[in-house]
Amino acid sequence: MEKREQWGSRLGFIFAAAGSAIGLGNIWRFPTRVGENGGGAFVLIYLLIMFAIGIPVMISEFVVGRKGQKNIVGSFTSIKNTPLWYGVGFMGVLSGFLILSFYSVVAGWGVSYIFKFITGTFTGNVDTTEIFIGLITDPIQPLFWHLVFMGMTTYIVLKGIGGGIEKYSKLLMPALLGLLVLLAIRSLTLSGAWEGVVWYLKPDFSAITTETILASLGQVFFSLSLGMGAMITYGSYLSKKEDIPVNALLISLADLFIAVLAGFIIIPAVFAFGFEPGAGAGLVFMTLPAVFEAMPFGSIFGFLFFVLLTIAALTSAISFLEAVVAYFIDEVKWDRKKATLIIGTIIFLMGVPVSLSQGGITIANIDFLDLFDNITALVFLPLGGLMTVIFVGWVWGGKNALSEIEQEGVKFKLGNAWLFLVKYILPVVLFYILASGLYPVIKDYLPF
Ligand code: PHE
């Protein structure tokens, strides 16, 4: 049997997996969801869910991938070969298509901002809302940037895991961190920023509903790249001597740190400049340029920021594409080049209605960005996570999973607690959150 490609080093893996986790989910989606879901209460639930559900699920995904040594579908079916588990894996492949098609459109907006800062669009007293709306409602321009972004993603995945994914991640993640810290300082020192900080951190418990909980759960899954098999795929390139739980913890903490930091940039600025926190998908693209306008050398920082945002988005996008491509390579027997090019093209095409619907060119008034985002984050990803923990706890067997983790001297101190969670608690909790969060949405369609 041909030996599976592996990560070049431990650090390389951590950077690549953190690179998958850290992306638009942290910088764009997290502040937006905090804004829509009432601030501090959402943040608190997010934290709870991340530790109680997110990290245990991430450990489960890594271990399934490392045991299976294959793509999402193949990793499940090499442990238990039934149509059900093929289907669960395939749902992950489908999520990859759906998420990347809107992810790339949003990332494309970011890429276009790099050029807007170079050409001085944001200098002087300009209305950042107008500029943003002008961009996304244009039928052609955002499609061009979506094409550019998908092109870059496809190119890196073509190069394979060591040369492409690992090399780029190691270089760029630290740079992003530095710039975010700088921006947070600027944003926090704007006048009027404090009100935002309070709103961000002070939980208003009356704002917590089942929908808030589902929204937090969806955000945890989205942000940690869980529930679609990206982490299964990355785990399959992991060597047996790696300590999976420690890696999962480090990756999740890094992801959390960046999300919280992004919140400290966006939310105070929203209050300082009088934007609406619930303004939705465009929040980041409208508030941030306003922050840059308000700082010396703002255009240079703006330029740098969007370069790094693009990179963070790229390291995530390659993990979706890699997960989907790995399926077609292993299971459908395409070669890497064919798989990458065909899938890259399909995803580009799926992004077209997403982009056009922002300008009102659509079918039945559907905003495809919201639609794809909501079905995946609120349904497919948590459902994928639910099935993964059932798989690990009951089908493959928790004990077997634990011995896969504990090899070559690795000791999982909280192993039994993790087993208990995965077997008894998480299946129930995940099912309950999914069912109660979705019930209000689907009850009109139910016959009873
Ligand atoms: N975690 C990525 C982000 O925060 C998005 C992602 C989701 C990547 C699912 C892979 C799988 O941007």
Side-chain angles (χ1 to χ4, degrees):
M1 202 182 101
E2 200 187 317
K3 197 164 175 343
R4 194 164 180 79
E5 211 181 337
Q6 283 197 347
W7 301 107
S9 67
R10 159 130 199 245
L11 216 59
F13 164 71
I14 295 205
F15 274 110
S20 165
I22 297 168
L24 297 178
N26 309 59
I27 297 165
W28 164 70
R29 203 175 185 283
F30 180 77
T32 308
R33 297 299 137 146
V34 174
E36 288 169 349
N37 291 286
F42 179 89
V43 178
L44 184 72
I45 297 176
Y46 181 86
L47 276 173
L48 287 175
I49 294 185
M50 190 191 107
F51 283 99
I53 303 179
I55 298 176
V57 170
M58 187 184 284
I59 296 174
S60 307
E61 290 206 14
F62 281 151
V63 72
V64 168
R66 194 174 68 181
K67 174 71 185 175
Q69 288 286 300
K70 286 224 174 77
N71 63 90
I72 319 170
V73 170
S75 288
F76 280 118
T77 55
S78 72
I79 300 172
K80 178 83 185 172
N81 194 0
T82 61
L84 172 68
W85 297 104
Y86 194 103
V88 169
F90 196 77
M91 186 174 71
V93 174
L94 202 67
S95 307
F97 275 103
L98 286 170
I99 302 183
L100 189 49
S101 68
F102 76 79
Y103 202 85
S104 171
V105 170
V106 176
W109 300 345
V111 180
S112 84
Y113 270 45
I114 298 176
F115 294 90
K116 291 202 190 304
F117 276 100
I118 294 179
T119 55
T121 310
F122 289 114
T123 33
N125 239 336
V126 291
D127 182 343
T128 57
T129 308
E130 207 172 285
I131 294 175
F132 174 69
I133 302 292
L135 167 71
I136 65 163
T137 54
D138 188 284
I140 306 297
Q141 255 199 73
L143 282 181
F144 170 75
W145 297 112
H146 164 48
L147 180 67
V148 170
F149 185 81
M150 262 326 283
M152 294 192 287
T153 309
T154 309
Y155 176 79
I156 298 175
V157 172
L158 263 180
K159 298 262 161 219
I161 74 151
I165 298 174
E166 195 170 337
K167 191 170 95 199
Y168 289 91
S169 307
K170 253 189 341 210
L171 199 71
L172 301 162
M173 300 316 289
L176 177 68
L177 181 64
L179 195 63
L180 285 175
V181 170
L182 199 76
L183 284 175
I185 295 172
R186 171 65 273 210
S187 187
L188 287 168
T189 49
L190 288 165
S191 83
W194 188 243
E195 210 188 316
V197 176
V198 171
W199 189 82
Y200 185 34
L201 297 183
K202 196 168 145 215
D204 164 12
F205 291 100
S206 69
I208 300 176
T209 61
T210 48
E211 281 110 288
T212 326
I213 298 176
L214 182 63
S216 306
L217 180 74
Q219 177 59 27
V220 167
F221 271 81
F222 190 92
S223 192
L224 294 179
S225 307
L226 298 176
M228 65 139 307
M231 293 308 188
I232 292 183
T233 310
Y234 274 23
S236 76
Y237 307 122
L238 198 55
S239 94
K240 298 283 182 196
K241 61 175 189 294
E242 282 301 342
D243 188 332
I244 289 179
V246 169
N247 282 322
L249 181 68
L250 287 176
I251 292 159
S252 303
L253 288 178
D255 187 72
L256 175 68
F257 185 70
I258 301 281
V260 170
L261 197 58
F264 273 118
I265 300 172
I266 317 285
I267 303 206
V270 165
F271 281 80
F273 293 112
F275 288 95
E276 255 312 304
L283 199 57
V284 171
F285 293 96
M286 299 182 293
T287 47
L288 275 179
V291 177
F292 293 121
E293 269 179 33
M295 53 198 282
F297 307 108
S299 316
I300 298 175
F301 286 119
F303 163 77
L304 277 176
F305 177 82
F306 283 99
V307 169
L308 291 171
L309 180 71
T310 301
I311 290 158
L314 255 180
T315 54
S316 301
I318 52 192
S319 75
F320 299 109
L321 190 58
E322 175 63 23
V324 176
V325 162
Y327 165 76
F328 283 92
I329 295 176
D330 293 345
E331 306 297 317
V332 194
K333 310 287 177 222
W334 286 356
D335 62 36
R336 179 170 281 273
K337 189 163 164 208
K338 176 172 170 192
T340 313
L341 291 176
I342 293 182
I343 293 156
T345 309
I346 295 177
I347 293 176
F348 169 74
L349 294 175
M350 287 171 61
V352 172
V354 170
S355 181
L356 292 179
S357 66
Q358 302 307 302
I361 308 171
T362 184
I363 313 157
N365 257 326
I366 296 171
D367 180 335
F368 284 98
L369 201 168
D370 279 350
L371 180 69
F372 289 1
D373 185 338
N374 287 333
I375 327 183
T376 49
L378 303 185
V379 187
F380 284 13
L381 300 185
L383 193 58
L386 172 61
M387 296 310 285
T388 307
V389 291
I390 292 177
F391 184 80
V392 169
W394 297 96
V395 179
W396 178 21
K399 288 266 176 308
N400 295 331
L402 202 55
S403 55
E404 169 66 32
I405 295 176
E406 297 192 317
Q407 296 183 67
E408 308 206 10
V410 174
K411 182 86 193 101
F412 185 7
K413 286 203 197 70
L414 295 174
N416 285 327
W418 172 76
L419 264 189
F420 186 76
L421 266 178
V422 163
K423 248 182 123 146
Y424 301 106
I425 310 288
L426 296 189
V428 179
V429 171
L430 279 168
F431 179 80
Y432 180 76
I433 301 180
L434 260 172
S436 55
L438 289 179
Y439 180 71
V441 185
I442 52 175
K443 71 167 181 291
D444 296 343
Y445 303 97
L446 294 177
F448 45 85

